[in-house]
Amino acid sequence: MNRANGGPLSFGIEPPGSTETAPLRLIEVLRPRMFDDCPICGDPATTQEHVPPQRLGGTRMTLTCAQCNNSLGTLLEADLVDWFDEAWSTSSFQSDAVPGRRQTSRLLRRWTSDGQFVLLPEGRCDPAVGEILAAGGDVTLEVSPPNQNRCRLALLKSMYLALCIKAGVPEGEPADRLRAELLAARDAKHKADVPVSPIALGLTVLRHWGDPITKESVVLAELQPKTGPVLGFLLAGRVFVSASSSWSEATVTPGRLVNQLQVGASVRGEVASVHPQPPPQARRRQA
């Protein structure tokens, strides 16, 4: 972005801060595999399932029943997409300059090379938000960050379906418990009612920044940290999810966050270019 007062403003999706890096060995590209019965609940499999979700770059890889496909998608995938896009949903701004709280549907978070943040409204935005920011001063920003539990459950579903595609539907107590946690999420009436999943929260999840490592939807892969190899799946060339879980009892992030901002004078400019971020050298950030 070229600023009218001089100098460009460049920003990208990768946030600043500590990262956990590890080599990743790709083992096998998985091909679609269809089942007569839903691998999650056992009902007749009647709908095509994207693994991972289509908005992450997944393709149709298997079949599930309509309820497991639609309900889990409705309840879980928005949080996964927000995490993947570095976005906040249902955000609002408030200040003394304009009466009341004014909403934006979604805010994309981006960062400059020196660690400053940039917020890009996506979708509908109350015109008064511009008035609030132009006035400057004290501004209250209230946002809904991605829910960690629902995001991890969406990844658990993709990992489990990838496992079924690779080796068939597993049997036994660990698989039964995994399916039980997915079904408990599927049967929740509202997002807020989705139960906490220790298995999902215990997954090892890392995100690759930059161009996808591969164009394939699902690849069997091995993460190779210093603590020892971790077998799992690379989803859409960007997200690694382990095939094992530490059965975590981690806490879940709160539903809303309130940020107090000090906004300076407005600066006008124009967008100069939009381009993919150059791929960094094997840098990944843990989810």
Side-chain angles (χ1 to χ4, degrees):
M1 178 173 291
N2 292 325
R3 293 181 287 191
N5 63 343
L9 177 66
S10 299
F11 46 89
I13 191 174
E14 184 175 2
S18 61
T19 58
E20 176 182 339
T21 63
L24 186 68
R25 182 172 70 93
L26 304 185
I27 300 173
E28 178 187 354
V29 175
L30 300 192
R31 299 305 179 196
R33 180 175 182 177
M34 306 302 164
F35 297 96
D36 293 331
D37 298 324
C38 177
I40 298 173
C41 70
D43 288 346
T46 57
T47 63
Q48 295 184 342
E49 181 83 48
H50 290 78
V51 183
Q54 188 175 18
R55 289 182 65 184
L56 265 67
T59 58
R60 295 168 178 148
M61 294 291 294
T62 191
L63 296 175
T64 58
C65 72
Q67 187 176 6
C68 286
N69 191 342
N70 298 333
S71 295
L72 287 172
T74 299
L75 291 167
L76 306 178
E77 286 182 9
D79 289 278
L80 175 59
V81 171
D82 281 349
W83 167 76
F84 186 77
D85 289 347
E86 287 290 342
W88 286 329
S89 293
T90 56
S91 307
S92 66
F93 291 85
Q94 187 173 12
S95 78
D96 293 337
V98 176
R101 182 181 289 113
R102 302 308 176 111
Q103 293 189 337
T104 65
S105 58
R106 198 167 183 245
L107 283 179
L108 302 178
R109 296 183 297 159
R110 300 295 182 259
W111 286 267
T112 63
S113 58
D114 59 356
Q116 298 184 57
F117 68 89
V118 178
L119 301 178
L120 302 176
E122 181 188 66
R124 293 183 179 180
C125 180
D126 189 323
V129 169
E131 298 178 31
I132 291 174
L133 297 178
D138 294 327
V139 175
T140 299
L141 170 62
E142 188 172 343
V143 299
S144 292
N147 179 272
Q148 183 185 23
N149 180 59
R150 294 195 295 265
C151 173
R152 290 300 190 95
L153 272 163
L155 290 173
L156 178 66
K157 176 189 174 185
S158 288
M159 182 279 290
Y160 170 72
L161 292 177
L163 182 63
C164 293
I165 293 168
K166 167 60 182 171
V169 179
E171 299 180 356
E173 196 280 330
D176 290 342
R177 178 167 179 178
L178 185 157
R179 285 188 287 264
E181 294 194 7
L182 287 176
L183 291 174
R186 183 200 71 177
D187 295 337
K189 293 183 178 180
H190 306 284
K191 288 184 178 183
D193 300 328
V194 173
V196 172
S197 168
I199 295 179
L201 293 175
L203 294 172
T204 298
V205 178
L206 280 86
R207 158 74 184 271
H208 172 74
W209 304 101
D211 294 336
I213 297 172
T214 173
K215 295 181 179 179
E216 304 293 344
S217 290
V218 185
V219 179
L220 181 66
E222 182 183 72
L223 193 69
Q224 299 175 326
K226 295 180 180 180
T227 54
V230 179
L231 193 65
F233 298 95
L234 180 65
L235 305 176
R238 292 181 185 271
V239 180
F240 174 85
V241 184
S242 65
S244 58
S245 170
S246 62
W247 303 78
S248 173
E249 298 294 341
T251 57
V252 179
T253 54
R256 296 285 282 176
L257 294 178
V258 178
N259 303 274
Q260 299 298 331
L261 308 179
Q262 181 66 36
V263 180
S266 62
V267 176
R268 294 187 176 275
E270 61 181 12
V271 175
S273 64
V274 178
H275 55 84
Q277 179 184 9
Q281 295 183 348
R283 295 182 66 193
R284 296 175 178 86
R285 175 172 174 259
Q286 189 168 7

